[in-house]
Structures are given as structure tokens and as C-alpha cells.
Amino acid sequence: MALTSPVRCSRRAVLLAAGGLLVGCSRQPDLEPVHLRLATGPAGAVYRRIGGAIAEHISQQVPGATVTTVPSGASTDNIRMLRAGTVHLGLTSLDALITTDGSAPEGLSAICRLYDSHLHLVVLAASAIDEFGDVAGRRISLGARDSGTEFTSLRVLDLGRVRADGRYLSQAESAAALRAGQIDAMFSLTGVPTPAITELAQRHPIRLIPLDAQAGALFTAYPGPYAPARIPATAYAGVPATRTVAVPNVLLARNDLPADLVYAITDTIFTHTRTITSAGRDDAEAVPEAWQINVRTGISTASVPLHPGAAAWFRDRKR
């Protein structure tokens, strides 16, 4: 079912105006509550965890709104579902969203920047792979199809003129395959720490391959979404700090979501960050990436425009 065209209405009316995938405004007094769908990511990924926390948080904090998460391949898959109108909200890495001319796909805009993902290249500690060029000809997971990991890792391999035996596995599948000796290395573009790699490091010693040269190549070839970064020594058991590249993640919305509804979503994300971080979970299930959510960086979505509702919220914060 297609989404309705955007209309201006009161926040209460917006929150009471939709059923299923239909979001809009009506003057009718007795309407169904808002039901939104948020595209997240695959098993073992931070997208699945933080997307679930955000969905739960909006459902609890925005009266009348219910958000259901939709598992996916991640970034590219989420963009496709948003454009098709099968979801209303979705997570994506900024590099998978921005086209080569610096624009964003038509019909989509950002609610906010959330947190930065770091590109991991993981091997078992005993691996003969010591540097990036050693992956040539090796069996390597490029991430799930349509994921941000696939998008960025293919760019890195292309810029480095390295040919590898690529496999398309989710983060959980990649970690299991690496542990079983079915692949030699795995890429993962994700928050730090990420559940699949944390669990792998707890079971088997691992190493992270430095990607500082690759970070520089990406920054030069594709200005905007990339920045040099470091995965800290505290991230994974027994793994020293490792230089790599960081990519921001944004929460996207379809442009035809009413501005007042997106205003309410933006407000609840930034005024209850601590709640998103824990989301009622114990320490083992906490969402540390949510600590990066703040007003100062939240507005920084590069060339991707803010949804009018989100832009209005950020303007109000400056008053």
C-alpha cells in the first residue's frame, strides 16, 4: 500500500491518523493509531539492536504510535524498501545513501545522524593475513547482500585493486564461518563493539587488520561520507587499537511522512537518549552506540536533506 502525500496537521491528529502502512491526516474524530515500519538489519548486527531500541522507544514515548521493526540486509536493502513504500523509516550508512553526484535518492530525507560505523577486517589470530593486500585470492565475507558492509568493502577492494573470493554472509553467519574455517576473513561495517564480533572474540583469539591506507583512499575518491578513525583497544578482548575508516549512520524517513509526526519522533529520540541506550535491557544487551546520539552531531547529515519535521525540531532547539 502506498503512503499518502504529506499534509500539515496537528501533532495529535497525525498520531491518530493512520492504519497499517497508511500515514496521513484526517478531520475524522475516531481514527486508528499510527503504525510505522522501521527497516533495521540482519542478525548479529548493530542495526538490528539499535533499530529495535529506537522502535521500542518511539512506541513508548509518542502517544498513539506503534513502530514495528523489519529485518533486512541493511543499508541498501533499507533504501530500496523505503523507496518502494513498504517501510516508513530505515537505517543506512551515509556512503550507501549518497550518490556519486553527492545527492540523496529522491523521496527520502534524514531525521538525524545517529552514530558512526567502523569498517572491521577480522581474521583469526593464527591467520597468515597480516595486512590488507594479503586478502587477495582469499575467501572473504563481504557482508550480507544489500548491506552497507557489502557496499563499502567492495569500494575498498576496488580502490586497492585487490581481487578476493567474496562471499555474501550476514555478520552472524560471517563470524560462524570464520570460526569454522570456511572463510579466511570478514568485513563488517558496524558500530563498536558489534555483537557478532564480540562473541567471536570471546570464543577464539582474533585480530583486526589495519585499514588506515584504505581510509585515505576512500576519503580522496569519495569526499563527504568517510573519515579516518580508530577502533579502541577496549572494544574486543585481546585486540589492540586499530586504525580504520568511519562512516556515519542516519535514520531515514520517506518525504511523505507528515512533518508533525517526524517532529515528534525527532523530539523523542533526542530528549530520551539515555532511555534508548538501555531500552529496558540489562548490561549485556545495552545499546552503547546510542551514546553517540546528540543534537550537535545529529544535524550533520552531509548532503542529505533533513525531513521538514526534523529540520523544524532542530530550528526550535536553537531558539
Side-chain angles (χ1 to χ4, degrees), residues 67-93:
V67 184
T68 301
T69 58
V70 179
S72 69
S75 294
T76 307
D77 197 16
N78 294 349
I79 294 168
R80 180 166 50 245
M81 286 192 287
L82 280 161
R83 298 192 72 187
T86 57
V87 298
H88 308 87
L89 307 168
L91 301 167
T92 184
S93 59

Side-chain angles (χ1 to χ4, degrees), residues 38-42 44-52 72-75 78 91-94 115 117 148 171 189-190 248-250:
L38 190 160
T40 58
V46 170
Y47 271 14
R48 180 78 67 91
R49 183 173 61 184
I50 198 168
S72 69
S75 294
N78 294 349
L91 301 167
T92 184
S93 59
L94 201 58
Y115 69 97
S117 284
Q171 292 192 52
L189 180 66
T190 184
N249 294 286
V250 296

Side-chain angles (χ1 to χ4, degrees), residues 193-216:
T194 194
I197 299 174
T198 296
E199 182 179 351
L200 177 63
Q202 290 170 346
R203 295 185 178 188
H204 295 277
I206 65 169
R207 289 186 288 112
L208 295 178
I209 303 302
L211 296 172
D212 42 337
Q214 288 65 45

Side-chain angles (χ1 to χ4, degrees), residues 141-225:
S141 173
L142 305 175
R145 289 194 181 276
D146 297 325
S147 66
T149 297
E150 177 198 17
F151 186 90
T152 307
S153 61
L154 286 175
R155 274 190 169 178
V156 167
L157 290 169
D158 181 64
L159 288 172
R161 301 182 182 275
V162 172
R163 292 175 177 259
D165 180 5
R167 312 291 173 88
Y168 293 92
L169 305 170
S170 71
Q171 292 192 52
E173 292 168 340
S174 297
L178 186 59
R179 186 172 62 247
Q182 296 168 349
I183 59 174
D184 302 302
M186 62 175 281
F187 275 114
S188 180
L189 180 66
T190 184
V192 178
T194 194
I197 299 174
T198 296
E199 182 179 351
L200 177 63
Q202 290 170 346
R203 295 185 178 188
H204 295 277
I206 65 169
R207 289 186 288 112
L208 295 178
I209 303 302
L211 296 172
D212 42 337
Q214 288 65 45
L218 284 167
F219 183 82
T220 300
Y222 304 100

Side-chain angles (χ1 to χ4, degrees), residues 13-310:
V14 169
L15 294 176
L16 296 175
L21 284 180
L22 186 63
V23 175
C25 181
S26 172
R27 295 181 176 83
Q28 298 180 15
D30 50 350
L31 298 171
E32 294 297 322
V34 169
H35 296 285
L36 302 175
R37 290 162 59 86
L38 190 160
T40 58
V46 170
Y47 271 14
R48 180 78 67 91
R49 183 173 61 184
I50 198 168
I54 290 173
E56 181 180 345
H57 178 64
I58 294 171
S59 298
Q60 291 174 347
Q61 299 294 331
V62 179
T66 301
V67 184
T68 301
T69 58
V70 179
S72 69
S75 294
T76 307
D77 197 16
N78 294 349
I79 294 168
R80 180 166 50 245
M81 286 192 287
L82 280 161
R83 298 192 72 187
T86 57
V87 298
H88 308 87
L89 307 168
L91 301 167
T92 184
S93 59
L94 201 58
D95 62 338
L97 179 65
I98 298 175
T99 60
T100 53
D101 65 0
S103 63
E106 185 176 352
L108 305 181
S109 51
I111 292 180
C112 62
R113 175 174 172 170
L114 293 170
Y115 69 97
D116 290 357
S117 284
H118 291 63
L119 186 62
H120 300 60
L121 179 53
V122 187
V123 299
L124 296 181
S127 172
I129 298 174
D130 293 320
E131 57 185 33
F132 173 72
D134 294 338
V135 302
R138 303 274 187 169
R139 301 165 300 171
I140 182 169
S141 173
L142 305 175
R145 289 194 181 276
D146 297 325
S147 66
T149 297
E150 177 198 17
F151 186 90
T152 307
S153 61
L154 286 175
R155 274 190 169 178
V156 167
L157 290 169
D158 181 64
L159 288 172
R161 301 182 182 275
V162 172
R163 292 175 177 259
D165 180 5
R167 312 291 173 88
Y168 293 92
L169 305 170
S170 71
Q171 292 192 52
E173 292 168 340
S174 297
L178 186 59
R179 186 172 62 247
Q182 296 168 349
I183 59 174
D184 302 302
M186 62 175 281
F187 275 114
S188 180
L189 180 66
T190 184
V192 178
T194 194
I197 299 174
T198 296
E199 182 179 351
L200 177 63
Q202 290 170 346
R203 295 185 178 188
H204 295 277
I206 65 169
R207 289 186 288 112
L208 295 178
I209 303 302
L211 296 172
D212 42 337
Q214 288 65 45
L218 284 167
F219 183 82
T220 300
Y222 304 100
Y226 299 109
R230 182 189 295 265
I231 299 172
T234 54
Y236 305 107
V239 181
T242 308
R243 294 185 181 277
T244 186
V245 62
V247 185
N249 294 286
V250 296
L251 177 61
L252 292 178
R254 286 181 54 90
N255 287 349
D256 49 13
L257 280 183
D260 288 346
L261 174 59
V262 175
Y263 187 105
I265 291 172
T266 309
D267 182 67
T268 198
I269 287 174
F270 285 101
T271 56
H272 298 279
T273 301
R274 183 180 295 272
T275 307
I276 296 175
T277 305
S278 60
R281 296 161 169 79
D282 59 28
D283 290 342
E285 296 178 316
V287 188
E289 296 78 19
W291 285 112
Q292 295 185 43
I293 300 173
N294 64 80
V295 175
R296 181 178 58 82
T297 59
I299 198 172
S300 302
T301 57
S303 59
V304 182
L306 289 172
H307 188 284

